[in-house]
Amino acid sequence: MPKSKNRAVMIWLFAFAFVVAFLVVFGGFVRLTRSGLSVVEWNPVSGIFPPIGEQAWQNEFAKYQLTPEFLKVNHNITLEQYQRIFYIEWLHRLIARLAGLFYAIPVFYFLIKGAIPLKEFGIYVLMGLLFIGQAFMGWFMVASGLIDRPSVSHFRLTLHLLLALSLFALSLWVALGHRNGFPDFKISIKRSGFLKLAITGMIVLLVQISYGGFTAGLKAGHVSNTWPLMFGKWLPAGLFSNGINLLKSPQTIVFVHRWFAFVALIFGIALYFLARKQNYHPEITRGLLWILGLGSLQIVLGVLVVLLNVQISLALLHQLTAVLLFGWSLILLYRLRILNV
C-alpha cells in the first residue's frame, strides 16, 4: 500500500472510482434491455466505430441472426430494432475503452512526474490488471451466450461484477489514503473484535451481491412476482433438496437473495448498537446510520422490483444502491482503521 499522499492523484482516483461505478450500473442497463449479445465480436480497435452504411449494418445483422438469442428469442426483430440494442452495447464498450484510457494516461503521467513514486507503483499495476481482467471477463461472459443458449453464464456475469467491484474498491481505498493517510490493515486479536465483525459484515454483503449477480444472470427475478411468499408459500418445496441448487436453481437462488438481505441488515444493526454501546467516534455511528439507510432502501427497492416484474428503472436503482452500499461499507472499514478501532 502507498505511503505518500498527493491531492491530484486523489482527485483522479475518486473520479476513476465513479467511472467504474457508472460502468457497473450501465452494464445492468445493457443486461435489462437484452443488448449485451447484440455485438457478436470483440474487436478492441475496429470496434471503436459502429457499422457505417447500409451494407455494413446488414453484415452485422447477419452475424447476429446466427446467434441463439436471435433464433430463440428475437427472431422477429427488424434491422432498426437491432440497431437500437447494438448501439446500447456499443456505447457500453466505448465507455469501457475510454475508462481504460482514463486510467492508463494519468497513471503514467503521475509516475513520470513523480507524484506516484516508482516503489509504490505496484498497487496501480494491480488496478490496471483488475481493469484488464474484468474487461476480458466481460467478453468471456458474452461469449457464453453466443454458442447454444440465448443467455450468458451467471457465473461469468457474477465474476465480471465482482472484478469490477474489486477495482472500484481498490481505487476508492487508495483515493481515501491519498486524502487521509494509508492505514495498516493488520488486525489486532486483542483490540479489533469490532473490526472483525465489520469485515464479516462486508463478506456477508459480498455474498448477497454475488447472489444478486446469479439472480440477474439467470433472470431469476421473474420467477415469482409475489412477496414475501413465493408460489404462495414461505418456503416452497424442493428449494434445498440438492446442494447444487444453491448455485444453479433460479428458484433457490432468488429465494436466498430475497432473505439473505436481512442477514446483511442484521449485521449493520448489530454493528450500530455495538458502536453506540462502546461509545465509538461519531464518524463510525454516522457511517453505520448511512449503511442502515442504504440497506433498508435496497430491501424496499428489491421488493418493488419483484412486485413490478423487474421494471427497468427500479432494477437499475436497486443495482445503484447496492454499489453505494458497498462503497459506504468500504469507507466505514477505512474509518475504522484510521481511528484505530
Side-chain angles (χ1 to χ4, degrees):
M1 188 62 68
K3 297 297 181 183
S4 56
K5 297 192 291 184
N6 185 282
R7 179 176 172 78
V9 175
M10 175 199 75
I11 293 171
W12 162 61
L13 285 174
F14 274 129
F16 181 67
F18 172 82
V19 170
V20 174
F22 174 80
L23 271 170
V24 170
V25 178
F26 194 85
F29 177 69
V30 170
R31 177 184 55 79
L32 288 164
T33 55
R34 294 198 71 107
S35 304
L37 298 176
S38 60
V39 183
V40 302
E41 295 176 336
W42 188 23
N43 298 311
V45 178
S46 61
I48 294 174
F49 304 100
I52 299 174
E54 180 69 22
Q55 188 57 52
W57 274 112
Q58 289 292 349
N59 292 340
E60 203 66 38
F61 190 32
K63 297 174 188 176
Y64 178 71
Q65 289 173 316
L66 299 176
T67 66
E69 184 174 72
F70 177 84
L71 296 173
K72 298 179 181 181
V73 180
N74 285 340
H75 53 275
N76 291 324
I77 195 173
T78 64
L79 176 60
E80 183 180 355
Q81 291 170 326
Y82 170 69
Q83 287 174 322
R84 283 199 290 268
I85 62 173
F86 181 97
Y87 272 123
I88 291 173
E89 173 60 6
W90 171 79
L91 182 60
H92 181 218
R93 298 189 189 190
L94 178 63
I95 295 172
R97 288 180 173 93
L98 294 175
L101 292 176
F102 186 64
Y103 177 78
I105 294 174
V107 77
F108 285 110
Y109 172 81
F110 288 130
L111 178 65
I112 293 169
K113 290 293 184 178
I116 297 176
L118 182 59
K119 64 181 180 180
E120 298 179 1
F121 196 58
I123 196 72
Y124 301 95
V125 172
L126 179 58
M127 286 184 206
L129 292 175
L130 278 173
F131 189 92
I132 294 169
Q134 65 86 32
F136 171 79
M137 185 53 62
W139 171 248
F140 192 49
M141 174 190 70
V142 169
S144 68
L146 299 175
I147 301 172
D148 55 6
R149 63 180 189 178
S151 60
V152 301
S153 162
H154 64 291
F155 294 119
R156 297 184 191 184
L157 183 149
T158 302
L159 187 53
H160 180 51
L161 171 63
L162 292 178
L163 284 170
L165 288 179
S166 298
L167 177 60
F168 169 71
L170 187 58
S171 304
L172 183 59
W173 188 274
V174 178
L176 289 168
H178 278 285
R179 181 180 179 182
N180 299 312
F182 295 94
D184 184 359
F185 207 68
K186 293 179 181 179
I187 299 175
S188 166
I189 295 175
K190 293 182 179 180
R191 296 187 300 163
S192 301
F194 187 88
L195 175 61
K196 288 189 283 188
L197 183 63
I199 292 173
T200 304
M202 174 65 92
I203 293 171
V204 169
L205 177 60
L206 285 172
V207 171
Q208 172 64 3
I209 289 173
S210 297
Y211 266 88
F214 288 166
T215 299
L218 291 170
K219 297 180 175 57
H222 296 279
V223 164
S224 170
N225 64 351
T226 60
W227 191 92
L229 304 183
M230 271 181 61
F231 313 124
K233 298 179 180 180
W234 284 97
L235 181 61
L239 289 184
F240 302 101
S241 59
N242 192 320
I244 199 66
N245 287 355
L246 288 167
L247 297 175
K248 290 190 174 182
S249 167
Q251 292 81 6
T252 304
I253 284 170
V254 75
F255 180 86
V256 171
H257 187 55
R258 285 181 175 206
W259 295 109
F260 201 70
F262 290 93
V263 176
L265 185 63
I266 289 170
F267 264 89
I269 293 171
L271 283 165
Y272 174 74
F273 282 105
L274 185 59
R276 287 283 301 272
K277 181 180 178 180
Q278 297 185 3
N279 198 30
Y280 281 144
H281 194 284
E283 278 192 27
I284 303 302
T285 52
R286 282 198 300 268
L288 284 165
L289 281 175
W290 272 101
I291 288 172
L292 289 176
L294 287 168
S296 300
L297 175 61
Q298 178 73 344
I299 290 173
V300 171
L301 289 170
V303 171
L304 290 175
V305 168
V306 168
L307 296 178
L308 297 176
N309 295 305
V310 195
Q311 203 271 340
I312 289 180
S313 59
L314 276 175
L316 286 177
L317 191 56
H318 181 60
Q319 184 167 341
L320 172 61
T321 308
V323 176
L324 293 175
L325 180 58
F326 174 73
W328 203 261
S329 299
L330 190 78
I331 291 171
L332 174 69
L333 288 178
Y334 177 85
R335 286 174 173 170
L336 290 174
R337 297 312 299 145
I338 284 291
L339 297 172
N340 198 28
V341 172

